[in-house]
Amino acid sequence: MENAELFQQAKDAVGLRDELLSIASHELRTPLSTIRLLLQSIERAAQKLDSGEMVSKIKRILRQVDRLTELINNLLDVTRIGAGQLALDVEEFDAVAVVHEIVERFAEPARAAGSPLQLRLPELLMCRADRLRLDQVLTNLLSNAIKFGAGKPIDVLLEGSASQLQLTVRDRGIGIPAEHVARIFDRFERAVSSRQHGGLGLGLYITHRIVEAHRGTVQVESSPGEGAVFSVNLARDAAAAGGPAGNA
């Protein structure tokens, strides 16, 4: 009986924690959205005044707002995954167009880090999946590659067959020690010190869960000092693959 009571107390505590994270994440997103809109308005005014220094400072602030938004969204996704509520909105789209859009978004921070993005894509690759979640997967992988890429080029490859698509992100950075490879997709796990590199250790965990919900796989090959290669394999038709997988 004592063990059962302790288990229930622990379960209730986890439930309260997840509820708090969910409420806090939702509440924090609203003021951040307002801040972003105000900054964009100020940025337009600064551009009209031809104030390059002011525009540069505003862009740096906007990048920090984006970073805060990403952290909040990750916390919200963790609560959804824990509750089995990571729903997919499947639609038909061109995966090449999505990859291009995300790579353009990351072009500037990648150059600033000394890690230019090198693309190898087909002309067209139609698929049926959750477009926003696929965006999130590549966003997480590119953020990871730039952070640990040691100022070297990063390759982004998209390939497809009749039934499958494969998305690959390869960096030439610090790499991952063999003893850490098995756990980097776990929640809050990191292969490096949080003092050296920021973040909550949630990006790869969420990536794994999104790919899993599509009934796909994500794998990594890495050695210290030789970078890392992340490969995502998905069915071109998520519905044909059996629909969204469970999120427990």
Side-chain angles (χ1 to χ4, degrees), residues 222-239:
S222 182
S223 298
E226 297 183 8
V229 181
F230 286 87
S231 300
V232 174
N233 288 277
L234 297 174
R236 290 183 62 173
D237 188 341

Side-chain angles (χ1 to χ4, degrees), residues 32-223:
L32 274 176
S33 296
T34 302
I35 291 170
R36 162 169 276 284
L37 289 173
L38 289 171
L39 284 169
Q40 289 173 333
S41 177
I42 296 171
E43 181 183 19
R44 287 192 293 271
Q47 288 172 339
K48 289 181 180 179
L49 294 172
D50 198 24
S51 176
E53 182 180 358
M54 181 64 71
V55 170
S56 177
K57 289 179 179 179
I58 294 170
K59 286 186 180 296
R60 289 202 297 270
I61 297 172
L62 282 169
R63 283 196 290 270
Q64 295 307 312
V65 170
D66 288 341
R67 179 61 179 150
L68 282 172
T69 302
E70 179 188 350
L71 291 172
I72 291 168
N73 287 338
N74 282 346
L75 287 173
L76 186 57
D77 276 338
V78 167
T79 62
R80 288 171 177 160
I81 290 169
Q85 297 175 349
L86 187 65
L88 298 181
D89 183 13
V90 176
E91 60 178 311
E92 186 173 15
F93 60 91
D94 177 16
V96 175
V98 172
V99 172
H100 265 300
E101 179 183 333
I102 300 165
V103 167
E104 287 180 6
R105 191 192 312 156
F106 275 92
E108 184 178 340
R111 281 194 298 267
S115 296
L117 303 178
Q118 304 177 152
L119 298 180
R120 194 171 79 198
L121 310 174
E123 292 186 5
L124 182 74
L125 184 55
M126 300 302 296
C127 65
R128 283 181 52 79
D130 188 318
R131 182 186 184 117
L132 291 179
R133 291 299 183 183
L134 184 61
D135 182 314
Q136 193 173 1
V137 165
L138 183 52
T139 293
N140 287 339
L141 293 180
L142 281 179
S143 296
N144 200 66
I146 293 170
K147 183 186 298 184
F148 302 113
K152 298 176 182 178
I154 295 168
D155 297 330
V156 180
L157 292 80
L158 181 65
E159 302 170 289
S161 65
S163 61
Q164 297 283 317
L165 67 81
Q166 182 178 67
L167 177 64
T168 304
V169 176
R170 176 191 178 192
D171 68 69
R172 297 167 174 81
I174 63 175
I176 306 168
E179 63 270 22
H180 297 317
V181 169
R183 64 180 181 83
I184 60 171
F185 292 108
D186 293 339
R187 183 167 49 178
F188 301 116
E189 289 289 352
R190 310 171 57 87
V192 296
S193 169
S194 60
R195 294 182 180 180
Q196 294 176 310
H197 300 277
L200 298 175
L202 292 174
L204 292 178
Y205 167 73
I206 293 170
T207 293
H208 176 257
R209 288 297 192 160
I210 291 173
V211 173
E212 186 178 60
H214 281 85
R215 297 189 182 275
T217 61
V218 55
Q219 299 175 323
V220 58
E221 296 180 6
S222 182
S223 298

